[in-house]
Amino acid sequence: MPRYGVEEDSSFVPNSVLLLLLTAAFALAGCQSTGMDGANFTRARFFLESVSSDGYSAAVTLPLSRVQIPVESEAIVSEYDYHSIEVVDVDLGRCLAFTLKPPAAREFYQISVANQGKRLVLVVNGAPLGVRKIDGPIANGKIFVFLEVSDKNLEELAKKLKESNFDIQKKLKR
């Protein structure tokens, strides 16, 4: 039986459903990704140890030593702040050396002056892997950090970080 003078049609779609579908299509079309949030990046970020029980977001646990370190909620160095990562041999063994870009190096210098005695925690893709104590001002823009991984895994990780860093820097220059 026709309702409101319109014959019933099984292919009829109410206007509200069409409007909802069109809105969703436009919203999705407008959400263009920059490509910077891809899961294929290996992201290394440094978090500063927190000494205040109410100022930290979480306590991270290193994988081998099981040392727990409360950290601030915001990274102080991220994958956008360094331009090279190398595996280096120093007196105490093999570690990663992150060379910061000049603006990040200046900011990090100020952080290192104000936070002597605290620890930096290197978090790679959400996993805490290494720690470094700030034992003095770091003016050269290089952060050396020992990781709780084998030398083989250190090489592989450094390679992934370099590849991600290269891709990120290339996309930032666009």
Side-chain angles (χ1 to χ4, degrees), residues 43-93:
R43 299 178 184 273
R45 297 178 176 168
F46 285 90
F47 290 83
L48 187 62
E49 177 180 23
S50 176
V51 293
S52 168
S53 62
D54 56 338
Y56 70 91
S57 65
V60 297
T61 304
L62 294 171
L64 297 177
S65 66
R66 308 304 298 163
V67 170
Q68 290 190 333
I69 303 168
V71 294
E72 300 287 338
S73 59
E74 297 284 322
I76 60 168
V77 175
S78 76
E79 60 274 11
Y80 305 107
D81 295 323
Y82 48 86
H83 65 76
S84 72
I85 306 102
E86 300 295 328
V87 174
V88 295
D89 292 308
V90 296
D91 292 341
L92 297 174

Side-chain angles (χ1 to χ4, degrees), residues 36 39 42 66 79 92 115 121 161:
M36 298 300 283
T42 302
R66 308 304 298 163
E79 60 274 11
L92 297 174
N115 291 283
V121 179
L161 286 169

Side-chain angles (χ1 to χ4, degrees), residues 44 46 77-88 95-106 108-109 120 122 132 138-145 158 161-162 165-166 169:
F46 285 90
V77 175
S78 76
E79 60 274 11
Y80 305 107
D81 295 323
Y82 48 86
H83 65 76
S84 72
I85 306 102
E86 300 295 328
V87 174
V88 295
C95 67
L96 287 182
F98 291 80
T99 303
L100 301 178
K101 294 176 183 177
R106 286 189 294 275
F108 183 71
Y109 170 73
L120 287 174
L122 174 64
R132 183 231 164 98
I138 301 172
N140 64 0
K142 288 191 181 229
I143 303 173
F144 294 90
V145 62
L161 286 169
K162 287 178 191 180
N165 187 260
F166 176 78
Q169 299 311 317

